[in-house]
Amino acid sequence: MENDVKVYRLGEECRFVKSTAMAYVEFKGKCAYCGEDLIDDRRYYALGKIDHLLPKSIYPQYADDQRNLVLACDICNSHKGSFNPCPEGEEPEKMLAVKRGELIGRAYEFITEKENKAKLEWQQARRIILDTKE
């Protein structure tokens, strides 16, 4: 009931689309993948995205299904892209209904690998630009 009030108020007072408000409330303003707080700072808030856990390019039937929508930071959303966390042979309906956390975990592992590579590239670029020997 309390969450319903929050969703309603976000829609009325902050012009949130209902599905977006529901994702922000469900994940308490944190990225579903990395846990980054997207409501603590205005800049992070501006970078919040609604991600389709199961890519809508593969599963268009779940594009508007609330179980398929998660709050993500811009970095995680970008790294995930159209990655499909649903294992081959698994029923997407069952995964969303019963094993949604497992899907989020698989996406997190994929994102983490890409983020680790991106951090190494950033560190190298930083060293070159600043001409440091870190």
Side-chain angles (χ1 to χ4, degrees), residues 115-131:
E115 178 59 12
N116 288 340
K117 289 177 184 175
K119 280 181 183 175
L120 290 174
E121 289 173 9
W122 164 74
Q123 289 169 340
Q124 181 65 13
R126 186 175 188 277
R127 280 192 287 275
I128 292 167
I129 293 165
L130 299 176
D131 196 25

Side-chain angles (χ1 to χ4, degrees), residues 100-119:
R100 187 169 178 240
E102 208 173 293
L103 292 174
I104 292 171
R106 284 195 184 103
Y108 171 74
E109 289 173 11
F110 177 81
I111 290 164
T112 299
E113 186 176 315
K114 288 187 84 173
E115 178 59 12
N116 288 340
K117 289 177 184 175
K119 280 181 183 175

Side-chain angles (χ1 to χ4, degrees), residues 59-76:
Y59 302 99
Q61 67 273 33
Y62 296 108
D64 296 324
D65 188 324
Q66 192 64 41
R67 300 170 303 171
N68 193 39
L69 304 178
V70 299
L71 181 61
C73 68
D74 188 56
I75 291 173
C76 286

